[in-house]
Amino acid sequence: MELPEEKKKPKLIGEYFKTDNLAGPPMVRIYVGSQRRLWVLPEEALCDRVKFFKSTFQGGFREGNEKVLELPEDDPVAFGYSLNHILQGWARADDINKLGDPEAVSMAWCRTWVLADKLGCPNLSRHVKTNYFDHLSNLSLGKKMIPPAAAQYLYENTSEPCELRETLVRVAVDTYEAFDCCCEDRMRQWSESAASHPKYLSDIMALLKSRLLKNPPTKDVCEKHRK
């Protein structure tokens, strides 16, 4: 019994390059980012795996006639990571984590999530959420704050429900609860992060309130704040 088209497993990548046509398989060009970073890719491999590409290149649009797609608002690092996952079924978290700078790493993970959502790739979204959370979990407490620009970007480019929003909120609350209240510099950084987007702050406050209602604080007030 033949499987429905949407349930058929795509061919292995090497199969797409097997052809009797000396010109090779049909290829498409995808330009990503403001600098128009170019990828030249087998059309069939993309369309077999992602409905977004299938509708773009085979749906009667101009991109399908020209075999060219422009993604100026997306990030080349995010696209490269997503492409590896789409074509291979996996991608290395280190390709993003190796960026080093905490803000650059967080921005790259958030941009990859937004791109996965645009492409309609839920498996990629789950992969991003897991790897980003693992990355944050391995950071020291002082570096675990979500960079304001990353939180703002995610909230401005996603809508509810959004699992990565929930992850960032949970990390923010966990970090807050782990702080020594006398560490004013960390509290200032945390506050700047939480205030980066009104809905982000609202979500954080809602989770904090929920936790406080379930588990009222029992610790004594520290000496600095004892009256």
Side-chain angles (χ1 to χ4, degrees):
M1 179 178 177
E2 187 175 3
L3 291 172
E5 182 178 353
E6 64 270 16
K7 293 187 177 180
K8 288 181 180 178
K9 288 186 177 181
K11 296 183 290 187
L12 297 174
I13 291 299
E15 296 294 317
Y16 293 101
F17 293 92
K18 291 182 179 179
T19 177
D20 294 328
N21 187 342
L22 293 179
M27 307 294 279
V28 297
R29 288 176 291 156
I30 301 178
Y31 294 92
V32 184
S34 58
Q35 301 299 314
R36 302 183 78 235
R37 173 80 180 274
L38 173 63
W39 274 265
V40 180
L41 302 159
E43 177 183 352
E44 188 182 2
L46 295 178
C47 295
D48 280 354
R49 287 165 168 78
V50 180
K51 288 183 179 180
F52 174 89
F53 290 128
K54 186 176 181 66
S55 62
T56 297
F57 292 117
Q58 299 178 357
F61 298 106
R62 175 176 57 84
E63 290 85 353
N65 295 326
E66 299 178 358
K67 303 303 179 187
V68 175
L69 173 62
E70 298 274 356
L71 298 174
E73 296 180 356
D74 291 300
D75 176 58
V77 173
F79 184 79
Y81 182 90
S82 301
L83 192 63
N84 285 337
H85 191 274
I86 289 166
L87 297 180
Q88 301 175 157
W90 62 275
R92 296 179 303 181
D94 281 350
D95 288 346
I96 289 181
N97 293 338
K98 71 181 180 182
L99 294 173
D101 176 66
E103 182 167 343
V105 172
S106 284
M107 280 297 298
W109 282 121
C110 290
R111 287 183 181 277
T112 307
W113 172 277
V114 170
L115 179 59
D117 186 56
K118 175 196 289 189
L119 298 178
C121 297
N123 288 338
L124 173 58
S125 295
R126 287 190 288 270
H127 184 80
V128 169
K129 183 188 75 170
T130 298
N131 282 327
Y132 185 26
F133 180 75
D134 287 346
H135 166 73
L136 292 171
S137 297
N138 289 326
L139 296 177
S140 63
L141 186 62
K143 296 181 179 179
K144 200 165 288 189
M145 271 82 74
I146 308 300
Q152 181 178 13
Y153 176 83
L154 183 70
Y155 268 77
E156 289 180 348
N157 290 277
T158 58
S159 57
E160 295 181 301
C162 174
E163 292 184 13
L164 194 59
R165 283 190 183 189
E166 295 171 4
T167 296
L168 264 58
V169 169
R170 189 170 72 252
V171 169
V173 172
D174 289 346
T175 303
Y176 175 84
E177 293 178 336
F179 278 158
D180 181 334
C181 65
C182 296
C183 188
E184 294 181 358
D185 186 56
R186 286 182 178 177
M187 288 303 300
R188 177 185 56 78
Q189 293 177 36
W190 184 91
S191 298
E192 290 175 355
S193 173
S196 60
H197 190 279
K199 186 63 172 68
Y200 182 43
L201 179 59
S202 174
D203 290 344
I204 290 172
M205 293 299 104
L207 182 56
L208 272 172
K209 181 178 179 180
S210 174
R211 289 191 181 182
L212 286 171
L213 290 174
K214 290 180 181 178
N215 300 291
T218 58
K219 292 182 180 180
D220 291 334
V221 178
C222 70
E223 289 297 330
K224 180 176 179 180
H225 295 90
R226 191 186 303 276
K227 293 184 179 179

